[in-house]
Coordinates of all heavy atoms in Angstrom, one line a residue:
M139 N 135.1 -81.5 -56.7 CA 135.7 -82.8 -56.8 C 134.8 -83.8 -56.2 O 134.8 -85.0 -56.6 CB 137.0 -82.8 -56.1 CG 137.8 -84.0 -56.2 SD 138.1 -84.4 -58.0 CE 138.9 -85.9 -57.9
V140 N 133.9 -83.5 -55.2 CA 133.1 -84.5 -54.6 C 132.1 -85.0 -55.6 O 131.9 -86.3 -55.7 CB 132.3 -83.8 -53.4 CG1 131.2 -84.8 -52.9 CG2 133.2 -83.4 -52.3
R141 N 131.6 -84.2 -56.5 CA 130.7 -84.7 -57.6 C 131.4 -85.7 -58.5 O 130.8 -86.7 -58.9 CB 130.1 -83.5 -58.4 CG 129.2 -84.0 -59.5 CD 127.9 -84.5 -58.9 NE 127.1 -84.9 -60.1 CZ 126.4 -86.0 -60.1 NH1 126.3 -86.8 -59.0 NH2 125.7 -86.4 -61.1
G142 N 132.7 -85.4 -58.8 CA 133.4 -86.4 -59.6 C 133.6 -87.7 -59.0 O 133.5 -88.7 -59.6
L143 N 133.8 -87.7 -57.7 CA 134.0 -88.9 -56.9 C 132.7 -89.7 -56.9 O 132.7 -90.9 -57.1 CB 134.4 -88.6 -55.5 CG 134.8 -89.8 -54.6 CD1 135.9 -90.6 -55.2 CD2 135.2 -89.3 -53.2
E144 N 131.5 -89.0 -56.8 CA 130.2 -89.7 -56.8 C 130.0 -90.4 -58.2 O 129.6 -91.5 -58.2 CB 129.1 -88.7 -56.6 CG 129.1 -88.2 -55.1 CD 128.0 -87.1 -55.0 OE1 127.3 -86.8 -55.9 OE2 128.0 -86.5 -53.9
I145 N 130.4 -89.7 -59.2 CA 130.2 -90.3 -60.6 C 131.1 -91.5 -60.7 O 130.7 -92.5 -61.2 CB 130.5 -89.2 -61.7 CG1 129.5 -88.1 -61.7 CG2 130.7 -89.9 -63.0 CD1 129.8 -86.9 -62.5
F146 N 132.3 -91.4 -60.2 CA 133.3 -92.5 -60.3 C 132.7 -93.7 -59.5 O 132.7 -94.9 -60.0 CB 134.6 -92.1 -59.7 CG 135.6 -93.3 -59.7 CD1 136.2 -93.7 -60.8 CD2 135.8 -93.9 -58.5 CE1 137.1 -94.8 -60.8 CE2 136.7 -95.0 -58.4 CZ 137.4 -95.4 -59.6
R147 N 132.2 -93.5 -58.4 CA 131.6 -94.6 -57.6 C 130.5 -95.2 -58.3 O 130.3 -96.4 -58.3 CB 131.2 -94.1 -56.2 CG 132.3 -93.8 -55.3 CD 131.8 -93.4 -53.9 NE 132.9 -93.0 -53.0 CZ 132.9 -92.2 -52.0 NH1 131.7 -91.7 -51.7 NH2 133.9 -92.0 -51.3
D148 N 129.6 -94.4 -58.9 CA 128.4 -94.9 -59.6 C 128.9 -95.8 -60.8 O 128.4 -96.9 -61.0 CB 127.6 -93.8 -60.1 CG 126.3 -94.3 -60.8 OD1 125.6 -95.1 -60.2 OD2 126.0 -93.8 -61.9
R149 N 129.9 -95.3 -61.5 CA 130.4 -96.1 -62.7 C 131.0 -97.4 -62.2 O 130.8 -98.4 -62.8 CB 131.4 -95.3 -63.4 CG 130.8 -94.2 -64.3 CD 131.9 -93.6 -65.1 NE 131.3 -92.5 -65.9 CZ 132.0 -91.6 -66.5 NH1 133.3 -91.6 -66.5 NH2 131.4 -90.6 -67.1
F150 N 131.7 -97.4 -61.1 CA 132.3 -98.6 -60.6 C 131.3 -99.6 -60.2 O 131.4 -100.8 -60.5 CB 133.3 -98.3 -59.4 CG 133.9 -99.6 -58.9 CD1 135.0 -100.1 -59.6 CD2 133.5 -100.1 -57.7 CE1 135.6 -101.3 -59.1 CE2 134.1 -101.3 -57.2 CZ 135.1 -101.9 -57.9
R151 N 130.2 -99.1 -59.5 CA 129.2 -100.1 -59.1 C 128.6 -100.7 -60.3 O 128.3 -101.9 -60.3 CB 128.1 -99.3 -58.3 CG 128.5 -99.1 -56.9 CD 127.3 -98.6 -56.1 NE 127.8 -97.8 -55.0 CZ 127.7 -96.5 -54.8 NH1 127.1 -95.8 -55.7 NH2 128.2 -96.0 -53.7
R152 N 128.3 -100.0 -61.4 CA 127.7 -100.6 -62.6 C 128.7 -101.5 -63.2 O 128.3 -102.6 -63.7 CB 127.3 -99.5 -63.6 CG 126.0 -98.9 -63.2 CD 125.5 -97.9 -64.2 NE 126.1 -96.6 -63.9 CZ 126.6 -95.8 -64.8 NH1 126.5 -96.1 -66.1 NH2 127.1 -94.6 -64.5
F153 N 129.9 -101.1 -63.3 CA 131.0 -101.9 -63.9 C 131.1 -103.2 -63.1 O 131.1 -104.3 -63.7 CB 132.3 -101.1 -63.8 CG 133.6 -101.9 -64.0 CD1 134.0 -102.2 -65.3 CD2 134.3 -102.4 -62.9 CE1 135.2 -102.9 -65.5 CE2 135.5 -103.1 -63.1 CZ 135.9 -103.4 -64.4
E154 N 131.2 -103.2 -61.8 CA 131.4 -104.4 -61.0 C 130.3 -105.3 -61.2 O 130.4 -106.5 -61.4 CB 131.6 -104.0 -59.6 CG 131.7 -105.1 -58.6 CD 131.7 -104.7 -57.2 OE1 131.4 -103.6 -56.9 OE2 132.1 -105.6 -56.4
G155 N 129.0 -104.8 -61.0 CA 127.9 -105.6 -61.1 C 127.7 -106.3 -62.4 O 127.5 -107.5 -62.5
S156 N 127.9 -105.6 -63.5 CA 127.6 -106.2 -64.8 C 128.6 -107.3 -65.2 O 128.2 -108.3 -65.6 CB 127.5 -105.1 -65.9 OG 128.8 -104.5 -66.0
F157 N 129.9 -107.0 -65.0 CA 130.9 -108.0 -65.4 C 130.9 -109.2 -64.4 O 131.1 -110.4 -64.9 CB 132.3 -107.4 -65.5 CG 132.4 -106.5 -66.7 CD1 132.5 -105.2 -66.5 CD2 132.3 -107.0 -68.0 CE1 132.6 -104.3 -67.6 CE2 132.4 -106.2 -69.1 CZ 132.6 -104.8 -68.9
M158 N 130.6 -109.0 -63.2 CA 130.5 -110.1 -62.2 C 129.2 -110.9 -62.5 O 129.3 -112.2 -62.5 CB 130.5 -109.6 -60.8 CG 131.9 -109.3 -60.3 SD 132.0 -108.7 -58.6 CE 131.1 -109.8 -57.7
D159 N 128.1 -110.3 -62.9 CA 126.9 -111.0 -63.2 C 127.0 -111.8 -64.5 O 126.4 -112.8 -64.6 CB 125.7 -110.0 -63.3 CG 125.3 -109.4 -62.0 OD1 125.7 -110.0 -60.9 OD2 124.6 -108.4 -62.0
L160 N 127.9 -111.3 -65.4 CA 128.2 -112.1 -66.6 C 129.2 -113.2 -66.4 O 129.6 -113.9 -67.3 CB 128.6 -111.1 -67.7 CG 127.6 -110.2 -68.2 CD1 128.2 -109.1 -69.2 CD2 126.5 -110.9 -68.9
N161 N 129.7 -113.3 -65.2 CA 130.7 -114.4 -64.8 C 132.0 -114.2 -65.6 O 132.6 -115.2 -66.0 CB 130.1 -115.8 -65.0 CG 128.9 -116.0 -64.2 OD1 128.8 -115.6 -63.0 ND2 127.9 -116.6 -64.7
L162 N 132.4 -112.9 -65.8 CA 133.6 -112.6 -66.5 C 134.7 -112.3 -65.5 O 135.9 -112.5 -65.8 CB 133.5 -111.5 -67.5 CG 132.5 -111.8 -68.6 CD1 132.3 -110.5 -69.5 CD2 133.0 -112.9 -69.5
I163 N 134.4 -111.8 -64.3 CA 135.4 -111.6 -63.3 C 134.7 -112.1 -61.9 O 133.5 -112.1 -61.8 CB 135.8 -110.1 -63.1 CG1 134.6 -109.2 -62.7 CG2 136.4 -109.6 -64.4 CD1 135.0 -107.8 -62.4
A164 N 135.6 -112.5 -61.0 CA 135.0 -113.0 -59.7 C 136.1 -112.8 -58.6 O 137.3 -113.1 -58.8 CB 134.7 -114.4 -59.8
P165 N 135.6 -112.3 -57.5 CA 136.5 -112.4 -56.3 C 136.4 -113.8 -55.7 O 135.4 -114.4 -55.6 CB 135.8 -111.4 -55.3 CG 134.4 -111.4 -55.7 CD 134.3 -111.7 -57.2
C166 N 137.6 -114.4 -55.4 CA 137.6 -115.8 -55.0 C 138.1 -115.9 -53.6 O 138.5 -115.0 -52.9 CB 138.4 -116.6 -56.0 SG 137.6 -116.6 -57.6
I167 N 138.0 -117.2 -53.1 CA 138.4 -117.4 -51.7 C 139.8 -117.2 -51.3 O 140.2 -117.1 -50.2 CB 137.9 -118.9 -51.2 CG1 138.6 -119.9 -52.1 CG2 136.4 -119.0 -51.3 CD1 138.4 -121.3 -51.7
D168 N 140.7 -117.1 -52.4 CA 142.1 -116.8 -52.1 C 142.3 -115.3 -51.9 O 143.4 -114.8 -51.8 CB 143.0 -117.3 -53.2 CG 142.7 -116.7 -54.6 OD1 141.8 -115.8 -54.7 OD2 143.4 -117.0 -55.5
H169 N 141.2 -114.5 -51.9 CA 141.1 -113.1 -51.8 C 141.9 -112.3 -52.9 O 142.5 -111.3 -52.7 CB 141.7 -112.7 -50.4 CG 140.9 -113.3 -49.3 ND1 139.6 -112.8 -48.9 CD2 141.1 -114.3 -48.5 CE1 139.2 -113.5 -47.9 NE2 140.0 -114.5 -47.6
H170 N 141.7 -112.9 -54.1 CA 142.2 -112.2 -55.3 C 141.1 -112.3 -56.4 O 140.2 -113.1 -56.3 CB 143.5 -113.0 -55.8 CG 144.7 -112.8 -54.9 ND1 144.9 -113.6 -53.8 CD2 145.7 -111.9 -55.0 CE1 146.0 -113.1 -53.2 NE2 146.5 -112.1 -53.9
W171 N 141.3 -111.4 -57.3 CA 140.4 -111.3 -58.5 C 140.8 -112.4 -59.5 O 142.0 -112.6 -59.7 CB 140.4 -110.0 -59.2 CG 139.6 -108.9 -58.5 CD1 140.2 -107.9 -57.7 CD2 138.2 -108.7 -58.4 NE1 139.2 -107.2 -57.2 CE2 138.0 -107.6 -57.6 CE3 137.2 -109.4 -59.0 CZ2 136.7 -107.1 -57.3 CZ3 135.9 -108.9 -58.7 CH2 135.7 -107.8 -57.9
H172 N 139.8 -113.1 -60.0 CA 140.0 -114.1 -61.1 C 139.3 -113.6 -62.3 O 138.1 -113.1 -62.2 CB 139.6 -115.5 -60.7 CG 140.5 -116.0 -59.6 ND1 141.3 -117.1 -59.8 CD2 140.7 -115.7 -58.3 CE1 141.9 -117.4 -58.7 NE2 141.6 -116.5 -57.8
V173 N 139.8 -113.8 -63.5 CA 139.2 -113.3 -64.7 C 139.0 -114.4 -65.7 O 139.9 -115.3 -65.8 CB 140.2 -112.2 -65.3 CG1 139.6 -111.7 -66.6 CG2 140.4 -111.1 -64.3
S174 N 137.9 -114.4 -66.4 CA 137.6 -115.4 -67.4 C 138.6 -115.4 -68.5 O 139.1 -114.4 -69.0 CB 136.2 -115.2 -67.9 OG 135.9 -116.0 -69.0
K175 N 138.9 -116.6 -69.0 CA 139.8 -116.8 -70.2 C 139.2 -116.4 -71.5 O 139.9 -116.3 -72.5 CB 140.3 -118.2 -70.3 CG 141.0 -118.8 -69.0 CD 142.3 -118.1 -68.8 CE 143.0 -118.8 -67.7 NZ 143.9 -117.9 -67.0
V176 N 137.9 -116.1 -71.5 CA 137.2 -115.7 -72.8 C 137.5 -114.3 -73.1 O 137.3 -113.8 -74.3 CB 135.7 -115.9 -72.8 CG1 135.3 -117.4 -72.5 CG2 135.0 -115.0 -71.8
L177 N 138.0 -113.5 -72.1 CA 138.4 -112.1 -72.4 C 139.7 -112.0 -73.2 O 140.6 -112.8 -73.0 CB 138.5 -111.3 -71.1 CG 137.3 -111.2 -70.3 CD1 137.6 -110.5 -68.9 CD2 136.2 -110.4 -71.0
D178 N 139.7 -111.1 -74.2 CA 140.9 -111.0 -75.0 C 141.3 -109.5 -75.0 O 140.6 -108.7 -75.5 CB 140.5 -111.4 -76.4 CG 141.7 -111.5 -77.4 OD1 142.7 -110.8 -77.1 OD2 141.7 -112.2 -78.4
P179 N 142.5 -109.2 -74.6 CA 143.0 -107.8 -74.5 C 143.1 -107.1 -75.9 O 143.1 -105.9 -76.0 CB 144.4 -107.9 -73.9 CG 144.8 -109.3 -74.2 CD 143.6 -110.1 -74.2
R180 N 143.1 -107.9 -77.0 CA 143.2 -107.3 -78.3 C 141.8 -106.8 -78.8 O 141.8 -105.9 -79.7 CB 143.7 -108.3 -79.3 CG 145.1 -108.8 -79.0 CD 145.5 -110.0 -79.8 NE 144.6 -111.1 -79.5 CZ 144.5 -112.3 -80.2 NH1 145.4 -112.5 -81.2 NH2 143.7 -113.2 -79.8
R181 N 140.7 -107.2 -78.1 CA 139.4 -106.8 -78.6 C 139.0 -105.4 -78.2 O 138.4 -104.7 -78.9 CB 138.4 -107.8 -78.0 CG 137.6 -108.5 -79.1 CD 136.5 -109.4 -78.5 NE 136.8 -110.1 -77.3 CZ 136.8 -111.4 -77.2 NH1 136.6 -112.2 -78.3 NH2 137.0 -112.0 -76.1
S182 N 139.4 -105.0 -76.9 CA 139.0 -103.7 -76.4 C 139.9 -103.3 -75.2 O 140.4 -104.2 -74.5 CB 137.5 -103.7 -76.1 OG 137.3 -104.4 -74.9
T183 N 139.9 -102.0 -75.0 CA 140.6 -101.5 -73.8 C 139.9 -102.0 -72.6 O 140.6 -102.3 -71.6 CB 140.6 -100.0 -73.8 OG1 141.2 -99.5 -75.1 CG2 141.4 -99.4 -72.7
G184 N 138.6 -102.1 -72.6 CA 137.9 -102.6 -71.4 C 138.2 -104.0 -71.0 O 138.5 -104.3 -69.9
E185 N 138.4 -104.8 -72.0 CA 138.8 -106.2 -71.7 C 140.2 -106.3 -71.2 O 140.6 -107.0 -70.3 CB 138.6 -107.1 -73.0 CG 137.2 -107.4 -73.3 CD 137.0 -108.4 -74.4 OE1 137.7 -109.4 -74.4 OE2 136.1 -108.2 -75.2
K186 N 141.1 -105.4 -71.8 CA 142.5 -105.3 -71.4 C 142.5 -104.9 -69.9 O 143.3 -105.5 -69.1 CB 143.2 -104.3 -72.2 CG 144.7 -104.3 -72.0 CD 145.4 -103.3 -73.0 CE 146.9 -103.3 -72.7 NZ 147.5 -102.5 -73.7
E187 N 141.7 -104.0 -69.5 CA 141.6 -103.5 -68.1 C 141.1 -104.6 -67.2 O 141.6 -104.7 -66.0 CB 140.8 -102.2 -68.0 CG 141.5 -101.0 -68.7 CD 140.6 -99.8 -68.7 OE1 139.4 -99.9 -68.3 OE2 141.1 -98.8 -69.2
L188 N 140.1 -105.3 -67.6 CA 139.6 -106.4 -66.8 C 140.7 -107.5 -66.6 O 140.8 -108.0 -65.5 CB 138.4 -107.1 -67.4 CG 137.1 -106.2 -67.4 CD1 136.0 -106.9 -68.1 CD2 136.7 -106.1 -65.9
I189 N 141.4 -107.8 -67.6 CA 142.4 -108.8 -67.5 C 143.5 -108.4 -66.5 O 144.1 -109.2 -65.8 CB 143.0 -109.1 -68.9 CG1 142.0 -109.9 -69.7 CG2 144.3 -110.0 -68.8 CD1 142.3 -110.0 -71.2
A190 N 143.8 -107.1 -66.5 CA 144.7 -106.5 -65.6 C 144.3 -106.7 -64.1 O 145.2 -106.7 -63.2 CB 145.0 -105.0 -65.9
L191 N 143.1 -107.0 -63.8 CA 142.6 -107.2 -62.5 C 143.0 -108.6 -62.0 O 143.1 -108.9 -60.8 CB 141.1 -107.2 -62.4 CG 140.4 -105.8 -62.4 CD1 138.9 -105.9 -62.5 CD2 140.9 -104.9 -61.3
S192 N 143.3 -109.5 -62.9 CA 143.6 -110.9 -62.5 C 144.8 -111.0 -61.6 O 145.9 -110.4 -61.8 CB 144.0 -111.7 -63.8 OG 144.2 -113.0 -63.5
G193 N 144.5 -111.6 -60.4 CA 145.5 -111.8 -59.4 C 145.7 -110.7 -58.5 O 146.4 -110.8 -57.5
K194 N 145.0 -109.6 -58.7 CA 145.0 -108.4 -57.8 C 144.3 -108.8 -56.5 O 143.3 -109.5 -56.5 CB 144.4 -107.2 -58.4 CG 145.0 -106.7 -59.7 CD 146.2 -105.9 -59.4 CE 146.8 -105.5 -60.8 NZ 147.8 -104.5 -60.7
S195 N 144.8 -108.3 -55.4 CA 144.2 -108.5 -54.1 C 142.9 -107.8 -53.9 O 142.7 -106.7 -54.4 CB 145.2 -108.0 -52.9 OG 146.4 -108.8 -53.0
L196 N 142.0 -108.5 -53.2 CA 140.7 -107.8 -52.8 C 141.0 -106.9 -51.6 O 141.9 -107.3 -50.8 CB 139.7 -108.9 -52.4 CG 139.3 -109.9 -53.4 CD1 138.3 -110.9 -52.8 CD2 138.6 -109.2 -54.5
L197 N 140.3 -105.9 -51.5 CA 140.5 -105.0 -50.3 C 139.1 -105.1 -49.5 O 138.2 -104.3 -49.8 CB 140.7 -103.6 -50.8 CG 142.0 -103.4 -51.6 CD1 142.1 -101.9 -52.1 CD2 143.2 -103.7 -50.7
P198 N 139.1 -106.0 -48.6 CA 137.8 -106.1 -47.8 C 137.6 -105.0 -46.9 O 138.6 -104.3 -46.5 CB 138.1 -107.4 -47.0 CG 139.5 -107.5 -46.9 CD 140.1 -106.9 -48.1
P199 N 136.3 -104.7 -46.5 CA 136.1 -103.7 -45.5 C 136.7 -103.9 -44.2 O 137.0 -105.1 -43.9 CB 134.5 -103.7 -45.4 CG 134.0 -104.5 -46.5 CD 135.2 -105.4 -46.9
Q200 N 137.0 -102.9 -43.5 CA 137.7 -103.1 -42.2 C 136.8 -103.8 -41.2 O 137.2 -104.6 -40.4 CB 138.1 -101.7 -41.6 CG 139.3 -101.1 -42.4 CD 139.7 -99.8 -41.7 OE1 139.1 -99.2 -40.9 NE2 140.9 -99.3 -42.2
D201 N 135.5 -103.5 -41.2 CA 134.5 -104.1 -40.3 C 134.2 -105.5 -40.9 O 133.7 -105.7 -42.0 CB 133.3 -103.3 -40.3 CG 132.3 -103.8 -39.3 OD1 132.4 -105.0 -38.8 OD2 131.3 -103.0 -38.9
E202 N 134.6 -106.6 -40.1 CA 134.4 -108.0 -40.5 C 132.9 -108.3 -40.8 O 132.6 -109.3 -41.5 CB 135.0 -108.9 -39.5 CG 136.5 -108.9 -39.5 CD 137.1 -110.0 -38.6 OE1 136.4 -111.0 -38.4 OE2 138.2 -109.8 -38.2
T203 N 132.0 -107.5 -40.2 CA 130.6 -107.7 -40.5 C 130.3 -107.7 -42.0 O 129.3 -108.3 -42.4 CB 129.7 -106.7 -39.7 OG1 130.1 -106.7 -38.4 CG2 128.3 -106.9 -39.9
F204 N 131.0 -106.9 -42.7 CA 130.7 -106.6 -44.1 C 131.7 -107.4 -45.0 O 131.7 -107.2 -46.2 CB 130.9 -105.1 -44.4 CG 129.9 -104.3 -43.6 CD1 130.3 -103.6 -42.6 CD2 128.5 -104.3 -44.0 CE1 129.4 -102.8 -41.9 CE2 127.6 -103.6 -43.3 CZ 128.0 -102.8 -42.2
H205 N 132.4 -108.4 -44.5 CA 133.3 -109.2 -45.3 C 132.4 -110.1 -46.2 O 131.4 -110.6 -45.7 CB 134.2 -110.0 -44.5 CG 135.4 -109.2 -44.0 ND1 136.6 -109.8 -43.6 CD2 135.6 -107.9 -43.7 CE1 137.5 -108.9 -43.2 NE2 136.8 -107.7 -43.3
P206 N 132.9 -110.5 -47.4 CA 132.1 -111.4 -48.2 C 132.0 -112.8 -47.6 O 132.9 -113.3 -46.9 CB 132.9 -111.4 -49.5 CG 134.2 -110.9 -49.2 CD 134.1 -110.0 -48.0
D207 N 130.9 -113.4 -47.8 CA 130.6 -114.8 -47.4 C 131.5 -115.7 -48.2 O 131.6 -115.7 -49.4 CB 129.2 -115.1 -47.6 CG 128.8 -116.5 -47.2 OD1 129.0 -116.9 -46.0 OD2 128.4 -117.3 -48.1
I208 N 132.2 -116.6 -47.5 CA 133.1 -117.6 -48.1 C 132.4 -118.5 -49.1 O 132.8 -118.7 -50.2 CB 133.8 -118.5 -47.1 CG1 134.8 -117.6 -46.2 CG2 134.6 -119.6 -47.8 CD1 135.9 -116.9 -47.0
E209 N 131.2 -118.9 -48.8 CA 130.4 -119.7 -49.7 C 130.0 -118.9 -51.0 O 129.9 -119.5 -52.1 CB 129.1 -120.3 -49.0 CG 129.5 -121.3 -48.0 CD 130.2 -122.5 -48.5 OE1 129.9 -123.0 -49.6 OE2 131.2 -122.9 -47.9
G210 N 129.7 -117.7 -50.8 CA 129.4 -116.8 -51.9 C 130.6 -116.6 -52.8 O 130.4 -116.6 -54.0
L211 N 131.8 -116.5 -52.2 CA 133.0 -116.4 -53.1 C 133.2 -117.7 -53.8 O 133.6 -117.7 -55.0 CB 134.2 -116.0 -52.2 CG 134.2 -114.6 -51.5 CD1 135.4 -114.5 -50.6 CD2 134.2 -113.6 -52.5
K212 N 133.0 -118.8 -53.2 CA 133.2 -120.1 -53.8 C 132.2 -120.2 -55.0 O 132.6 -120.6 -56.1 CB 132.9 -121.3 -52.9 CG 134.0 -121.5 -51.9 CD 133.6 -122.7 -51.0 CE 134.6 -122.9 -49.9 NZ 134.2 -124.0 -49.0
C213 N 131.0 -119.8 -54.8 CA 130.0 -119.9 -55.9 C 130.4 -119.0 -57.0 O 130.3 -119.4 -58.2 CB 128.7 -119.4 -55.3 SG 127.3 -119.5 -56.5
R214 N 130.9 -117.8 -56.7 CA 131.3 -116.9 -57.8 C 132.4 -117.5 -58.6 O 132.4 -117.4 -59.9 CB 131.8 -115.5 -57.2 CG 130.7 -114.6 -56.8 CD 130.2 -113.8 -57.9 NE 129.2 -112.8 -57.4 CZ 128.4 -112.2 -58.2 NH1 128.5 -112.3 -59.5 NH2 127.6 -111.3 -57.7
C215 N 133.4 -118.1 -58.0 CA 134.5 -118.7 -58.7 C 134.1 -119.9 -59.5 O 134.6 -120.1 -60.6 CB 135.6 -119.1 -57.7 SG 136.6 -117.8 -57.1
E216 N 133.2 -120.7 -59.0 CA 132.7 -121.9 -59.7 C 131.9 -121.4 -61.0 O 131.9 -122.2 -62.0 CB 131.8 -122.7 -58.8 CG 132.6 -123.4 -57.8 CD 131.7 -124.1 -56.7 OE1 130.5 -124.0 -56.8 OE2 132.3 -124.6 -55.8
Q217 N 131.3 -120.3 -60.9 CA 130.5 -119.8 -62.1 C 131.3 -119.0 -63.1 O 130.8 -118.7 -64.2 CB 129.3 -118.9 -61.6 CG 128.3 -119.7 -60.8 CD 127.2 -118.8 -60.2 OE1 127.2 -117.6 -60.3 NE2 126.2 -119.4 -59.6
L218 N 132.5 -118.8 -62.8 CA 133.4 -118.0 -63.7 C 133.5 -118.8 -65.0 O 133.7 -120.0 -65.1 CB 134.8 -117.8 -63.1 CG 135.7 -116.9 -63.8 CD1 135.2 -115.4 -63.7 CD2 137.1 -116.9 -63.1
I219 N 133.3 -118.1 -66.1 CA 133.3 -118.7 -67.4 C 134.8 -119.1 -67.7 O 135.7 -118.3 -67.6 CB 132.8 -117.7 -68.5 CG1 131.4 -117.4 -68.3 CG2 133.1 -118.3 -69.9 CD1 130.8 -116.3 -69.3
A220 N 135.0 -120.4 -68.1 CA 136.3 -120.9 -68.3 C 137.0 -120.3 -69.6 O 136.4 -119.8 -70.4 CB 136.3 -122.4 -68.5

């Protein structure tokens, strides 16, 4: 099962990076996920799953040292495709 968990983590990292880099999803200063309006759940299961993230709470690390920078979160939200 450990190998399966490693594969899942690797897929999540690629998933998170690519869609965030395309400005389709963003963690925002309200500590919730925001999703671009250009996504359409009718187009694909993937887009439907991304839309389901909208409004979900972020789960920050317990150690505040690793919390996201507020300015970085603001920037991500501003770059989100309308």
Side-chain angles (χ1 to χ4, degrees):
M139 186 59 179
V140 171
R141 179 69 182 139
L143 186 58
E144 289 173 9
I145 291 170
F146 175 78
R147 285 182 184 157
D148 183 51
R149 284 185 183 167
F150 180 75
R151 280 189 204 113
R152 280 186 273 140
F153 165 83
E154 177 188 13
S156 63
F157 290 111
M158 282 180 49
D159 291 343
L160 292 172
N161 301 318
L162 296 174
I163 63 172
C166 294
I167 59 173
D168 64 358
H169 300 285
H170 289 85
W171 284 102
H172 291 247
V173 179
S174 171
K175 302 290 185 207
V176 301
L177 296 174
D178 187 337
R180 299 170 295 175
R181 242 188 319 246
S182 71
T183 303
E185 287 188 41
K186 186 176 183 177
E187 291 173 355
L188 286 175
I189 291 167
L191 286 175
S192 184
K194 300 278 181 172
S195 297
L196 297 175
L197 299 174
Q200 290 183 348
D201 186 344
E202 289 188 25
T203 305
F204 299 105
H205 282 206
D207 177 63
I208 295 298
E209 291 303 314
L211 292 177
K212 283 181 188 177
C213 182
R214 285 277 185 192
C215 283
E216 290 169 0
Q217 293 177 354
L218 192 65
I219 297 173

